[in-house]
Amino acid sequence: MSIKVSGVTKKFGDFVALDDISVDLPKGQLTALLGPSGGGKSTLLRIIAGLEDADSGTVTIEGNEATHLPPQKRNVGFVFQHYAAFKHMSVAKNVAFGLEIRKRPKAETEKRVAELLELVHLSQFSHRLPAQLSGGQRQRMALARALAVEPTVLLLDEPFGALDAKVRKELRDWLRRLHDEVHVTTVFVTHDQEEALEVADEIVVINDGRIEQVGTPDQLYDEPASEFVMSFLGPVTKLNGRLVRPHDIDVHTTPEDSLGKAGKIVRLLRVGFEVRLTVELEEADHPDVEVTVTRATQRHLNLEEGLRIWVSPTNGARTQSPIRAVN
């Protein structure tokens, strides 16, 4: 394992940010720390980086005890959400900064900076100031700067959170390709479920200072360990007393499925290629069911508000009884 966290607890006054956290983060993988705001994921990342001290527990990086080491002794690269760029320095100087304070030879520094700027597609902007770059370009510069000193571990704290949706999508595709090229162990914090599912090799779900589940994106999505994990990694609705994903519900316009529940479409919303239905069931005291179908299905079945339909879980759909989240 590249990073081993054992029994880490962190409190801020009476608030427990991390409660006896233990997790192993694999070498060479891209791991996401995923959870809601205030769940503890950024605190865990900062403790790994040495920017916060744990009240108890240990952190081991590449087999070396790092619990009490200062950040500069841990050989980690850290990228903040808001870049933390040196505004008066050029892009090239920003990237070179870590190498220069380590007094690397000038020729070696220039060669490394040129390689990294080419890697992050910023070679043509090397003489610009950070203010002259777009948000996405500044974040790529920050990643190049973190990689310049050849860290053992790269830590990213919601690196794309300040960017608009289109740029975030482009950058997470780019981050995945970059990681596949440089193979540095990478840990990034996000509260964006789609980002974690799309980019990460492994996801650690954190909530209320505790780990809910660790696994691959497919494992967490298809085999959630708790109601919280299932609900957090995608939309859910309730049908037949169980949680099910809206896209795992079949819609019929005739009562051909004996297990189907009869109801009426009370709201129909088109979002791109999706059509989201709110179905009010005829069964007493049953909450409304949320269903997602494609535009093609909606047109084929002539679905519209006010139409009476029957809904049932798709054959083989993952369902789960509502349960208390794992402690």
Side-chain angles (χ1 to χ4, degrees):
M1 291 296 166
S2 185
I3 304 172
K4 185 177 182 65
V5 176
S6 301
V8 165
T9 294
K10 178 66 177 179
K11 296 181 181 179
F12 296 98
D14 293 332
F15 175 69
V16 180
L18 297 174
D19 187 5
D20 194 25
I21 289 279
S22 294
V23 64
D24 293 335
L25 305 180
K27 181 180 178 64
Q29 287 197 7
L30 202 163
T31 300
L33 304 182
L34 174 68
S37 297
K41 54 192 186 297
S42 287
T43 300
L44 177 57
L45 194 79
R46 291 176 66 83
I47 286 174
I48 293 171
L51 300 175
E52 295 279 359
D53 293 325
D55 297 330
S56 61
T58 61
V59 175
T60 303
I61 300 175
E62 290 286 296
N64 299 313
E65 169 65 48
T67 309
H68 302 295
L69 289 179
Q72 62 269 27
K73 297 289 187 180
R74 298 191 182 203
N75 195 28
V76 300
F78 200 100
V79 178
F80 297 91
Q81 179 176 337
H82 294 288
Y83 327 120
F86 299 110
K87 298 178 182 179
H88 63 288
M89 293 184 181
S90 68
V91 169
K93 279 289 188 181
N94 264 276
V95 175
F97 180 78
L99 295 169
E100 290 176 346
I101 63 173
R102 286 167 172 78
K103 301 188 184 303
R104 298 283 180 86
K106 183 177 179 180
E108 177 187 328
T109 297
E110 291 177 349
K111 181 173 182 291
R112 178 69 175 155
V113 170
E115 290 172 348
L116 285 167
L117 290 179
E118 183 177 354
L119 182 68
V120 301
H121 309 299
L122 289 178
S123 297
Q124 67 271 41
F125 305 118
S126 62
H127 298 296
R128 290 192 182 183
L129 294 174
Q132 297 173 305
L133 302 180
S134 69
Q137 289 168 339
R138 286 197 295 271
Q139 195 57 281
R140 298 208 308 271
M141 179 195 71
L143 282 161
R145 186 178 58 194
L147 288 169
V149 295
E150 300 182 21
T152 303
V153 174
L154 181 63
L155 305 176
L156 314 175
D157 192 3
E158 303 213 36
F160 311 137
L163 304 171
D164 64 57
K166 184 175 185 296
V167 176
R168 283 203 311 271
K169 176 69 168 66
E170 292 171 353
L171 276 182
R172 64 184 186 234
D173 290 344
W174 174 82
L175 176 62
R176 182 68 251 185
R177 294 194 302 271
L178 176 70
H179 179 267
D180 291 341
E181 286 186 45
V182 298
H183 297 295
V184 64
T185 301
T186 304
V187 184
F188 73 101
V189 163
T190 182
H191 61 265
D192 186 322
Q193 300 90 331
E194 182 179 334
E195 186 169 279
L197 291 169
E198 184 175 323
V199 175
D201 298 308
E202 183 172 85
I203 299 173
V204 180
V205 181
I206 302 177
N207 181 42
D208 288 337
R210 298 183 179 184
I211 293 178
E212 295 274 350
Q213 190 174 356
V214 180
T216 66
D218 284 349
Q219 287 171 338
L220 267 62
Y221 195 85
D222 295 335
E223 303 169 21
S226 68
E227 177 183 350
F228 173 83
V229 175
M230 185 170 185
S231 299
F232 196 73
L233 266 80
V236 295
T237 191
K238 188 184 289 186
L239 183 60
N240 296 335
R242 298 181 67 83
L243 296 177
V244 62
R245 300 205 183 277
H247 59 76
D248 281 335
I249 295 177
D250 283 336
V251 175
H252 306 280
T253 53
T254 58
E256 61 188 55
D257 188 342
S258 60
L259 298 177
K261 301 285 187 181
K264 179 176 66 175
I265 299 174
V266 294
R267 187 166 185 261
L268 186 151
L269 176 65
R270 297 181 181 92
V271 182
F273 70 92
E274 289 184 349
V275 178
R276 300 171 187 175
L277 312 174
T278 300
V279 181
E280 182 183 84
L281 296 189
E282 296 174 0
E283 185 177 292
D285 299 324
H286 196 296
D288 290 350
V289 177
E290 304 298 327
V291 182
T292 300
V293 298
T294 64
R295 290 289 296 273
T297 297
Q298 185 250 333
R299 293 185 181 117
H300 177 69
L301 297 177
N302 293 317
L303 302 178
E304 59 185 22
E305 291 183 3
L307 181 68
R308 189 178 190 226
I309 61 172
W310 285 259
V311 292
S312 61
T314 300
N315 186 32
R318 171 73 191 192
T319 64
Q320 182 165 340
S321 297
I323 56 175
R324 182 173 57 88
V326 172
N327 287 325

